[in-house]
Amino acid sequence: MEKMPRKNKRKSLFTKLFSNFMVVLIIPLGLFASYYTLNGDRNQARYLKGQTSTIVKSDADTLSSVIEAYRHKAYLLSTDPLVISILQEDSLDANSPSSRKLYQLLFDVMKGDTYLASTHIISNSGKVRVSTHEFPEVYDLRYQGNDWDLGNVITQNEKASPTASTISITSPRVAETGRLVIASILRRVYDREGTVYGYLVVDIYSDALTADINKSLLLGEELLFDTSHYYATSLIHSEKHGTFEQFPLLAELKGNFSRNVSQFNDTILAIEPIEGTSLSLAGSISSVPFQQNLNQWLFAFGIMMGIGIVLAAFLSYFFSRTIARPIGNLALSMKAVEEGNLNTKGEDMAILEFAQLDHSFNAMVLQIISLLQITREEQANLAEAERQALESQMNPHFLFNTLNTIKALAKLHGEEEIYTITIKLGKLLRSTIDNHKSECSLKESMSLVDSYLTIQKIRFGDKLHVETQIEESCLEVMTPKLIIQPLVENSIVHGLEPKAGEWNISVKIRREESMVFLCIEDDGIGFPPGSLPTNLDDLANSTHVGVYNVYRRLVLKYGKQMTFSLTSQEGLGTLVTMSFPAGQ
């Protein structure tokens, strides 16, 4: 059964433009919005967990560095012989040299940190009380020695190691300077025998711990907590501190205080232990603001898609009208030209590209008119050339008949030179006027050169020395006619004739693999420096017509596969070399 031919479904320009605008404007937005709708929550949670973990890790390292610096200062002071001896004596005159040396030692060690921390020294009896600031009443062991006093880091850590530093955050308070104390470092002061004579306490103010944390302000809460006492204090909201019961997020961990990142409802929580202490840092981010931003983005995408659809429809209609009208007018003009009306001219268009198209159409019509006129003239010239060719066929016969008459008379009278010249001239003339073929073998070309040189040797006698060499493999290579004889003639006429003394000219042809190399060399007067152009195409406008004619025919025949070189030295001679494929 024969199939019905399918009709091409053509779409209007408006439909095509609208489809393209939808692809370019709407589909990317739709894909982007769909991606965020399907994967936004998951990617957002992954991103927030990564950010929270990174920030908390960095802040934990910062806190570790700060605490370690103050712990080292506490160690230096608690092991200093001056401090040990004063507490051992359990007395200190405020105006004594020992007192001045002690204060000098305190401020030297705490140099630069007096606004961020305070250092206090207390003897066991409480008689010696020294501080870089106003001595806190809470550390006065004469009156504050009860172990239930949560504000006293000394009494709260009586059972701690007597040699190690104790870091405590369970005693937050407002110092006498008005600054908030977040952490305290306690060291016992003892001699070499291990006898404890007193205590050294470094109170760390909140500014020392909070100045360089949460710089990105992404964390909504950051808690410093002690896993051994289940006590925490907020580094962001200074008024918040107490047991884990007051911090529901810490209670959600259910005792797992190792390094981890967890999500509880809308809150991301990261835990990072502080190296070298029993403390850990917890940081949290609420995902609610990020989710709100995501929802706003999705809403904005929806609005943009709606606007994009309306804009795509408007632009499609506008551009379709703008494009279709001039194209339709141009199509009508082309139809008129197709029907033979060459007087049709496209109208001026406001759009540059269409104006260029219209200009090209008008130029094409003018070119068609010009080509038709040229065709008519060429047909007339062809007829005239044919008539002249028929007439000129009689001239060669007259010349050959005349040469035959001269040859017969020369032989009759024994003029051998004239006889030889007429024979060689006849060969040259026959080769020149033979228009039936445009190519000949190198053997034929060398025969023609031999005829020409025979005539020249008769003319110039023994002063002309000729050397010709052609490899047997080159004899049947076909080339354009007359590529050697014109160059030999140039060598004799322009190079050798103006020279006094003997003349030498050589023609050598050899073959290397698939290439033929031809050299014509003379020892004539050569060319003056600068008289030969570097580009052989420039010979077309020079007096070297014969050389250019040979070069140009070789280019037309072989193209870039051939080479042609013309070199000369004034007073030494000229060398012409060329190469071309043997298989052409």
Side-chain angles (χ1 to χ4, degrees):
M1 183 177 180
E2 189 174 338
K3 294 183 178 180
M4 294 294 292
R6 292 179 60 186
K7 294 184 178 179
N8 293 329
K9 295 182 179 180
R10 295 188 175 91
K11 297 181 180 180
S12 66
L13 183 60
F14 171 81
T15 304
K16 295 281 287 184
L17 288 174
F18 184 73
S19 301
N20 291 336
F21 277 126
M22 290 292 290
V23 170
V24 173
L25 294 177
I26 308 304
I27 292 181
L29 290 176
L31 292 175
F32 195 59
S34 300
Y35 172 79
Y36 267 92
T37 300
L38 298 174
N39 300 300
D41 291 341
R42 190 188 319 165
N43 291 337
Q44 176 180 273
R46 187 185 303 117
Y47 168 78
L48 290 178
K49 284 183 177 180
Q51 287 292 98
T52 306
S53 177
T54 301
I55 295 172
V56 172
K57 176 66 169 63
S58 176
D59 289 352
D61 292 340
T62 301
L63 293 178
S64 176
S65 298
V66 173
I67 293 173
E68 182 58 33
Y70 286 117
R71 182 158 56 182
H72 182 65
K73 292 177 184 292
Y75 170 78
L76 292 177
L77 290 172
S78 64
T79 57
D80 190 273
L82 177 62
V83 175
I84 296 174
S85 64
I86 291 175
L87 293 183
Q88 187 177 15
E89 294 176 2
D90 198 18
S91 64
L92 180 67
D93 185 355
N95 297 320
S96 66
S98 296
S99 177
R100 289 192 293 270
K101 289 181 181 181
L102 178 59
Y103 278 103
Q104 183 66 45
L105 174 64
L106 288 174
F107 285 104
D108 285 345
V109 173
M110 299 299 293
K111 184 177 181 181
D113 289 314
T114 54
Y115 291 97
L116 301 174
S118 58
T119 302
H120 320 289
I121 299 175
I122 316 101
S123 64
N124 288 334
S125 64
K127 294 179 180 180
V128 176
R129 300 178 305 283
V130 180
S131 175
T132 54
H133 299 70
E134 185 177 350
F135 189 85
E137 291 184 3
V138 70
Y139 297 147
D140 191 342
L141 297 181
R142 296 175 301 172
Y143 312 110
Q144 307 291 340
N146 299 314
D147 57 5
W148 47 262
D149 188 357
L150 296 178
N152 192 330
V153 66
I154 299 174
T155 58
Q156 286 295 314
N157 293 278
E158 283 291 338
K159 298 179 180 181
S161 172
T163 59
S165 298
T166 301
I167 303 172
S168 173
I169 61 170
T170 60
S171 307
R173 59 185 177 80
V174 177
E176 284 71 14
T177 58
R179 292 182 174 86
L180 177 65
V181 175
I182 289 184
S184 298
I185 299 175
L186 171 67
R187 279 195 67 88
R188 289 170 174 77
V189 181
Y190 53 88
D191 60 12
R192 292 182 179 181
E193 286 72 25
T195 304
V196 177
Y197 298 108
Y199 305 91
L200 183 138
V201 180
V202 177
D203 286 335
I204 303 174
Y205 300 153
S206 62
D207 292 344
L209 297 179
T210 61
D212 294 321
I213 64 171
N214 196 25
K215 288 186 176 181
S216 62
L217 302 179
L218 286 177
L219 299 181
E221 182 63 283
E222 203 160 14
L223 303 175
L224 183 64
F225 64 94
D226 188 342
T227 57
S228 60
H229 293 86
Y230 296 95
Y231 197 91
T233 183
S234 172
L235 299 180
I236 294 178
H237 307 94
S238 57
E239 72 283 356
K240 295 175 62 177
H241 54 82
T243 59
F244 283 7
E245 295 176 353
Q246 301 181 40
F247 299 96
L249 283 178
L250 295 179
E252 293 283 352
L253 295 174
K254 298 178 180 179
N256 180 19
F257 303 122
S258 60
R259 180 184 293 108
N260 68 87
V261 182
S262 306
Q263 182 172 1
F264 304 102
N265 297 325
D266 295 328
T267 302
I268 307 295
L269 180 67
I271 304 297
E272 186 70 32
I274 297 178
E275 187 177 355
T277 71
S278 62
L279 305 178
S280 295
L281 184 66
S284 65
I285 293 180
S286 174
S287 62
V288 173
F290 297 92
Q291 185 62 45
Q292 291 175 346
N293 290 338
L294 180 61
N295 294 337
Q296 291 175 357
W297 272 104
L298 293 176
F299 178 75
F301 278 133
I303 297 297
M304 291 173 65
M305 289 180 64
I307 295 174
I309 293 173
V310 175
L311 183 62
F314 172 76
L315 292 176
S316 300
Y317 176 78
F318 175 77
F319 285 123
S320 64
R321 297 294 299 168
T322 304
I323 296 172
R325 185 182 293 110
I327 289 181
N329 294 335
L330 183 60
L332 292 176
S333 299
M334 295 176 69
K335 182 69 174 177
V337 172
E338 182 182 356
E339 294 173 353
N341 183 9
L342 297 179
N343 294 322
T344 300
K345 184 178 181 181
E347 62 183 26
D348 293 334
M349 300 182 185
I351 300 176
L352 176 61
E353 288 74 10
F354 289 158
Q356 291 175 343
L357 187 62
D358 181 66
H359 174 75
S360 299
F361 172 75
N362 292 334
M364 180 190 69
V365 173
L366 293 176
Q367 190 173 10
I368 291 174
I369 296 173
S370 176
L371 289 174
L372 289 175
Q373 182 64 29
I374 292 173
T375 301
R376 296 188 187 99
E377 293 177 358
E378 287 181 348
Q379 289 177 344
N381 292 336
L382 182 61
E384 178 64 19
E386 185 177 1
R387 183 187 65 79
Q388 292 179 359
L390 292 173
E391 292 178 354
S392 66
Q393 287 180 357
M394 300 302 297
N395 294 331
H397 293 288
F398 171 75
L399 291 175
F400 283 123
N401 291 335
T402 303
L403 285 175
N404 286 332
T405 301
I406 295 173
K407 181 176 68 174
L409 289 173
K411 187 173 183 180
L412 181 64
H413 293 284
E415 297 290 341
E416 291 297 328
E417 291 184 348
I418 296 177
Y419 178 76
T420 302
I421 288 175
T422 54
I423 292 176
K424 299 299 183 181
L425 182 59
K427 289 184 177 181
L428 288 171
L429 182 60
R430 187 174 291 106
S431 176
T432 303
I433 66 177
D434 185 6
N435 295 324
H436 296 292
K437 58 180 183 177
S438 61
E439 294 185 351
C440 67
S441 66
L442 286 176
K443 179 179 179 180
E444 293 172 330
S445 293
M446 288 302 293
S447 176
L448 188 63
V449 171
D450 180 68
S451 297
Y452 174 76
L453 290 175
T454 300
I455 296 173
Q456 297 303 321
K457 289 185 72 174
I458 293 173
R459 176 185 176 192
F460 296 112
D462 293 336
K463 70 182 302 181
L464 176 61
H465 300 280
V466 177
E467 180 186 4
T468 60
Q469 295 179 8
I470 178 170
E471 292 183 358
E472 188 174 352
S473 60
C474 299
L475 292 175
E476 301 304 323
V477 174
M478 301 299 292
T479 67
K481 292 171 56 178
L482 296 174
I483 64 169
I484 304 177
Q485 188 273 334
L487 300 177
V488 173
E489 182 177 350
N490 266 10
S491 294
I492 292 176
V493 174
H494 300 292
L496 297 177
E497 285 188 11
K499 176 188 173 184
E502 294 186 349
W503 304 341
N504 293 283
I505 185 170
S506 66
V507 181
K508 299 178 181 179
I509 304 175
R510 59 185 173 86
R511 180 169 179 170
E512 292 183 7
E513 296 181 353
S514 62
M515 297 296 292
V516 174
F517 294 86
L518 193 154
C519 300
I520 301 170
E521 185 176 11
D522 66 69
D523 60 353
I525 61 173
F527 290 93
S531 61
L532 289 177
T534 55
N535 187 353
L536 293 178
D537 288 323
D538 296 337
L539 291 173
N541 301 319
S542 68
T543 58
H544 307 292
V545 179
V547 177
Y548 177 75
N549 183 283
V550 173
Y551 163 73
R552 186 60 185 164
R553 285 187 294 118
L554 288 173
V555 170
L556 293 175
K557 174 67 176 176
Y558 301 107
K560 294 182 178 181
Q561 291 180 295
M562 60 81 63
T563 63
F564 192 100
S565 172
L566 178 61
T567 59
S568 180
Q569 290 185 341
E570 188 174 12
L572 297 178
T574 303
L575 173 64
V576 178
T577 60
M578 66 184 79
S579 66
F580 46 84
Q584 291 290 335

